[in-house]
Amino acid sequence: MQEISQHIAERLRTLRRAEAWSLDRTARETGVSKAMLGQIERGESSPTVATLWKIASGFRVPFSSLFEPEAVAPGDGAASAERQAAPAFEGDAAGMTAVPLFPFDPVLGFELLVGTLAAGAVSESAPHAPGVVEHLVVVEGELEVRVNGVWRHLSAGEGLRFAADRPHAYRNPGQGATRFHDVIHYPCGTGVTSGVTPVVDAGEASAGSDSSSGR
Amino acid sequence: MQEISQHIAERLRTLRRAEAWSLDRTARETGVSKAMLGQIERGESSPTVATLWKIASGFRVPFSSLFEPEAVAPGDGAASAERQAAPAFEGDAAGMTAVPLFPFDPVLGFELLVGTLAAGAVSESAPHAPGVVEHLVVVEGELEVRVNGVWRHLSAGEGLRFAADRPHAYRNPGQGATRFHDVIHYPCGTGVTSGVTPVVDAGEASAGSDSSSGR
DNA sequence: CCCATTTGTGCGTTATAGCGCACAGTGCTA
DNA sequence: TAGCACTGTGCGCTATAACGCACAAATGGG
């Protein structure tokens, strides 16, 4: 039985637990037989897309959420609200620093870096994995970004969105250092260490971790 | 035949066209038979999850992308790289401004706002839709954010991640205005206008809307 | 306690997914 | 032209999804 089916099994159990529905009730709400629901939950069957659609409809959740990791529960985010300190200094030979303020979040599929570039410095960036998108916002100073061979100029407060999966570069044309925020989004299912095999967004959903309270 | 299967049919055709693969080649790459691939493309069959997994593996795309709208192609982002100007002024009675620098992007499921708060001002925020997560980064000044009844203090350069689907508030305890970036992520399948029925991200599934589930 | 109802599982049957294979159509080459 | 390789489709067979039903165990009420 494949990993994807294990994930769906777990997801269905979670949904059912959350609603406190019996298999019987779930069958009535989803239009999928009780026996089949049981098979799916035990990972004994690989349901068709049509069946999964019925299930999602019955639970009134987005279809894609059947394949997602446990969403950040309303309480969890607040409970684990983390104050990110100003990042420690970290630089490279090109006069460029790029320090994570919010590390890669596999659920949201993004990270936010604080970058700095010394006056006159140029920094080349190798392509990220396919599908990676960056949004830059200049906080202080001047910044130019080369995308598709074209240098684009950004002043403080200005931003630029571009596909980061091809070579690009940064340079600081100003007299002083520049500081910017770099929001990097990775395609769903990939992360900083991108793999090329399809992954269930669950990532490390090893289950068993919440056998108690629902949401 | 259901709409979901139509969507997957289209998605498979798109993937195959993009790679310029024949059914035969695709069968070899994915391990799914040529005949079955043909059935799926013609919407004559509702594939199981296991089969879809094989297909995604063969095309080396994230599993979830089979259900997503046309992803931004690697080239498109660069071609459509947009320079975002510093936002025009826009304020409210509480001394708070929140102006989009990058408007909501349905593919990435996020938006980035530039917020300002006058010295001493307090601004309450109603809960966003369930699952919405915010990341704040203070660019200039001091900012405090109330999450779960607890005020957290942030200085310039510091950040905070929190679930935004419950009441929260901002206030500026400093002597001067504060400026911050607000990165808002919406759960996949939802956006600024959230829906609770299962939707293929590609389209508008018509379904009775019963938002009492709170998911 | 007994009884009725509910719960989840297993089984056999039905429906359909998934397959290998044959075949008609197409394009290329000698 | 004929021969060959490739392409997508249809068909019949096999495997499995999905089902209804029976049943043992659990639960709750009188």
Side-chain angles (χ1 to χ4, degrees):
Chain A
M1 177 49 63
Q2 285 185 320
E3 188 175 298
I4 181 69
S5 293
Q6 298 279 32
H7 175 76
I8 289 170
E10 182 183 326
R11 187 83 182 106
L12 177 53
R13 289 195 298 267
T14 299
L15 284 171
R16 202 161 63 80
R17 195 182 308 130
E19 300 286 340
W21 286 353
S22 63
L23 283 176
D24 200 58
R25 172 77 190 278
T26 307
R28 269 184 276 124
E29 298 285 343
T30 63
V32 177
S33 75
K34 190 165 59 164
M36 187 58 195
L37 291 167
Q39 279 182 46
I40 295 171
E41 286 196 357
R42 298 190 299 279
E44 293 172 1
S45 185
S46 174
T48 63
V49 162
T51 297
L52 287 178
W53 180 264
K54 285 180 180 175
I55 290 173
S57 295
F59 281 105
R60 293 181 159 80
V61 296
F63 181 69
S64 57
S65 73
L66 293 182
F67 313 113
E68 288 174 355
E70 296 298 332
V72 177
D76 294 352
S80 63
E82 299 170 359
R83 171 173 171 277
Q84 302 296 323
F89 179 79
E90 190 175 326
D92 67 8
M96 168 94 159
T97 72
V99 179
L101 180 58
F102 293 110
F104 176 69
D105 181 326
V107 174
L108 304 176
F110 98 110
E111 65 183 333
L112 191 154
L113 311 178
V114 178
T116 61
L117 204 57
V122 182
S123 180
E124 297 279 342
S125 179
H128 288 262
V132 176
V133 177
E134 285 190 29
H135 293 76
L136 291 181
V137 190
V138 177
V139 173
E140 182 183 356
E142 309 288 325
L143 179 69
E144 290 184 338
V145 187
R146 192 190 72 221
V147 181
N148 265 356
V150 179
W151 286 98
R152 295 165 183 265
H153 186 269
L154 303 177
S155 299
E158 299 184 328
L160 176 70
R161 177 194 196 277
F162 64 96
D165 54 3
R166 54 182 57 195
H168 52 282
Y170 312 89
R171 72 184 177 193
N172 177 355
Q175 303 302 321
T178 185
R179 189 156 50 96
F180 58 95
H181 291 161
D182 190 358
V183 178
I184 311 181
H185 281 90
Y186 298 81
C188 286
T190 65
V192 179
T193 61
S194 67
V196 293
T197 56
V199 294
V200 182
D201 296 336
E204 311 301 324
S206 58
S209 61
D210 93 321
S211 56
S212 57
S213 72
R215 30 196 70 151
Chain B
M1 178 49 59
Q2 284 184 319
E3 188 175 296
I4 182 68
S5 293
Q6 299 279 32
H7 176 76
I8 289 171
E10 182 182 324
R11 185 84 184 111
L12 176 53
R13 290 196 296 267
T14 299
L15 284 172
R16 202 160 65 80
R17 195 183 308 128
E19 300 286 340
W21 285 353
S22 64
L23 283 177
D24 199 57
R25 171 76 189 280
T26 307
R28 269 184 275 122
E29 299 285 342
T30 62
V32 176
S33 74
K34 191 164 64 163
M36 188 60 195
L37 290 166
Q39 278 183 49
I40 296 171
E41 286 196 359
R42 299 190 298 278
E44 292 171 4
S45 185
S46 174
T48 62
V49 162
T51 297
L52 289 177
W53 180 264
K54 285 181 180 175
I55 290 173
S57 293
F59 281 104
R60 292 179 155 78
V61 296
F63 181 69
S64 57
S65 73
L66 293 182
F67 314 113
E68 289 174 355
E70 296 298 333
V72 176
D76 293 352
S80 64
E82 299 170 0
R83 172 174 173 275
Q84 301 297 322
F89 180 79
E90 190 176 330
D92 68 8
M96 168 94 158
T97 71
V99 179
L101 180 57
F102 293 110
F104 176 69
D105 181 324
V107 173
L108 303 177
F110 99 110
E111 63 185 333
L112 192 154
L113 311 178
V114 178
T116 61
L117 204 58
V122 181
S123 180
E124 297 279 342
S125 178
H128 289 263
V132 176
V133 177
E134 286 190 31
H135 292 75
L136 292 181
V137 191
V138 176
V139 173
E140 182 183 357
E142 308 288 324
L143 180 69
E144 289 183 337
V145 187
R146 192 190 73 221
V147 181
N148 264 356
V150 179
W151 286 99
R152 295 165 183 269
H153 185 270
L154 303 177
S155 300
E158 298 184 328
L160 177 69
R161 177 193 195 279
F162 64 97
D165 54 4
R166 55 181 56 196
H168 53 282
Y170 311 90
R171 73 185 177 194
N172 178 356
Q175 303 302 320
T178 185
R179 189 158 48 97
F180 59 95
H181 291 161
D182 189 357
V183 178
I184 311 181
H185 281 90
Y186 298 81
C188 285
T190 66
V192 180
T193 63
S194 66
V196 293
T197 56
V199 292
V200 180
D201 298 336
E204 308 290 332
S206 63
S209 174
D210 182 356
S211 303
S212 64
S213 71
R215 260 216 47 121

